[in-house]
Amino acid sequence: MCERAEFLRTLDDLLQPERFKDYGPNGLQVEGRAQVAKIVSGVTASRALIEAAIAAHADTILVHHGLFWRGQDGCVTGWMKQRLALLLAHDINLFAYHLPLDAHPKLGNNAQLGLQLGLVAQSHFGEQDLGCLGQRADGRSFESAHELAAHIQMAIGRSVALVSDENQVIRKVAWCSGGAQSYFEAAIAAGADAFITGEISEPQAHYARECGVAYLACGHHASERYGAPAVAAHVAAQLGLAHEFIDIDNPA
Ligand SMILES: [Zn+2]
């Protein structure tokens, strides 16, 4: 068990939120018990995750997608009321780290996605240097974008949307977890043969065909499933806390 304040300090030291310009508050989003004993980690602070955390007797939730984002109307109605009511009624702490949890060089979503896919980052690209550019850890190439897509499908257990016009060998791979469509052009400029992220939007399909760089969308949720449990497990071991990752399936 540890004090909530120590838990927050440990996370802030690890993830350094002050280094990022983000879309919502990083750190403690909803205050619960003063002591932390059991963490549930997950991708998103959805009602289903909060209910699962209550059932697991957690006092603390750590997620990548918290409750509060720029552009919300700020009203506690509908789904927001339901989620907050559950957290407050059960005195559960909600901690959320967005970009800092994408970027941590070992435990973050991008590093952990690379690990799952057997890729090593050699450099970074794009806004706030969040994108990873590298290659296969074994030094080999993928014979084609189709081979890379099949490899991702195997590694993360879901289908991949592939847009690619050519059957070129894939040596340099860029990746950025979640909804990083807007990083595609920076990945092309950085010299990638293929770009992996969670989502695709209409324009990127054309850029892929026109620039000869493969685009692989493997799911926003699926690509961001690895960072929060890695961070939570690390901090739980450091502070002597219990930890459980709960995956709430999401096809998006
Ligand atoms: Zn995300």
Side-chain angles (χ1 to χ4, degrees), residues 64-65 220 224:
H64 178 50
H65 301 138
H220 190 133
E224 300 202 312

Side-chain angles (χ1 to χ4, degrees), residues 43 64-65 69 98 102 109 177-179 220 224:
V43 178
H64 178 50
H65 301 138
W69 302 96
H98 184 235
D102 284 323
N109 278 323
S177 69
H220 190 133
E224 300 202 312

Side-chain angles (χ1 to χ4, degrees), residues 10 25 49 51 79 82 99 116 128 165 202 215 218 224 233:
T10 306
L49 181 71
E51 286 169 345
W79 59 266
Q82 293 174 10
L99 297 183
Q116 292 292 325
Q128 303 194 61
D165 214 17
E202 198 271 352
Y215 193 106
C218 61
E224 300 202 312

Side-chain angles (χ1 to χ4, degrees), residues 8 10-29 62-66 69 95-112 127-130 177 183 224 226-228 230-231:
L8 175 61
T10 306
L11 281 169
D12 280 347
D13 285 350
L14 184 69
L15 300 174
Q16 303 179 3
E18 66 284 349
R19 287 178 42 225
F20 298 87
K21 274 208 307 264
D22 215 329
Y23 310 95
N26 287 303
L28 180 63
Q29 290 199 341
L62 174 69
V63 292
H64 178 50
H65 301 138
W69 302 96
F95 289 85
Y97 289 84
H98 184 235
L99 297 183
L101 206 144
D102 284 323
H104 188 278
K106 279 211 173 68
L107 304 169
N109 278 323
N110 285 332
Q112 291 290 317
E127 214 189 312
Q128 303 194 61
D129 258 355
L130 286 170
S177 69
Y183 279 67
E224 300 202 312
Y226 307 107
V231 167

